[in-house]
């Protein structure tokens, strides 16, 4: 969830916008029961005791349409906090993946998010976001995976850049705390 608002000198705050974003929407193509992990759109999604399942359970994931929210551990690796499972798959259901762009190839009109290759040849040059390059975090939407396994993009937007901004700019980091010293 992303909250935009105003922080007051007394420490109180008022939210102006609240936006929920999923990290991946698509069909589960593989399940690793021993590791409690699965694959959707080339992303390895890990679950733990705190992962909330809606519409099913871990055991019902294979070949189901899911919407996954969570935290990135590394490119292509996601720790799920919430998984919404839909047992019915509507043709043309939105597919979406958010992550760090790698292997950007403007000539071939492809890049990767984790293990998922994205084909952006159907997105007109005027609709490509400026700054699309290796290292930026992008949100890719499409409605089909080609026979080659590539996600055919219909829309791409930049979520954030991986490099912090200028001095005095606000920088946000999200993830799971793995070590702490008081």
């Amino acid at each position: 969830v992303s909250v935009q608002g105003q922080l007051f000198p007394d420490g109180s705050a008022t939210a102006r916008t609240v936006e929920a974003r999923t990290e991946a929407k698509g069909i589960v193509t593989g399940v690793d029961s021993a590791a409690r992990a699965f694959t959707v759109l080339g992303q390895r999604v890990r679950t733990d005791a705190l992962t909330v399942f809606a519409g099913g359970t871990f055991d019902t994931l294979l070949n189901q349409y899911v919407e996954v929210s969570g935290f990135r551990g590394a490119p292509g690796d996601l720790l799920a906090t919430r998984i919404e499972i839909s047992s019915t798959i509507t043709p043309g259901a939105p597919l979406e993946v958010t992550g760090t762009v790698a292997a950007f190839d403007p000539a071939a009109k492809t890049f990767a998010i984790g293990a998922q290759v994205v084909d952006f040849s159907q997105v007109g040059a005027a609709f490509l976001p400026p700054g699309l390059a290796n290292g930026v975090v992008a949100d890719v939407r499409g409605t089909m995976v080609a026979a080659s396994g590539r996600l055919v993009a219909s829309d791409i937007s930049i979520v954030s850049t991986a490099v912090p901004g200028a001095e005095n700019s606000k920088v946000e980091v999200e993830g799971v705390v793995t070590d702490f010293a008081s």
Side-chain angles (χ1 to χ4, degrees):
V1 175
S2 173
V3 179
Q4 301 290 322
Q6 183 174 2
L7 183 62
F8 298 102
D10 67 359
S12 65
T14 300
R16 278 184 251 148
T17 63
V18 178
E19 178 185 340
R21 188 182 82 226
T22 56
E23 293 293 315
K25 291 181 187 178
I27 307 295
V28 174
T29 55
V31 174
D32 179 349
S33 296
R36 302 276 303 163
F38 63 94
T39 304
V40 60
L41 292 176
Q43 310 306 294
R44 180 176 184 267
V45 180
R46 295 176 292 118
T47 64
D48 64 14
L50 299 176
T51 303
V52 175
F53 289 86
T57 65
F58 181 86
D59 296 327
T60 64
L61 285 171
L62 189 59
N63 297 320
Q64 300 299 314
Y65 180 83
V66 296
E67 294 185 28
V68 181
S69 299
F71 297 106
R72 293 273 168 195
D77 184 71
L78 180 64
L79 174 59
T81 54
R82 180 174 174 81
I83 301 168
E84 292 191 37
I85 305 166
S86 177
S87 59
T88 57
I89 302 167
T90 306
L95 304 174
E96 184 175 350
V97 64
T98 301
T100 304
V101 173
F104 182 72
D105 185 344
K109 297 190 178 203
T110 61
F111 60 85
I113 292 181
Q116 180 63 58
V117 176
V118 175
D119 175 338
F120 62 92
S121 63
Q122 303 301 309
V123 179
F127 298 102
L128 285 175
L132 182 62
N134 288 327
V136 301
V137 177
D139 182 60
V140 179
R141 294 182 178 119
T143 56
M144 66 176 280
V145 174
S148 63
R150 294 178 176 189
L151 173 60
V152 179
S154 58
D155 182 57
I156 302 170
S157 59
I158 303 290
V159 175
S160 68
T161 59
V163 179
E167 185 175 341
N168 296 322
S169 66
K170 182 178 178 182
V171 177
E172 297 179 22
V173 177
E174 68 176 36
V176 177
V177 176
T178 58
D179 190 23
F180 176 78
S182 62

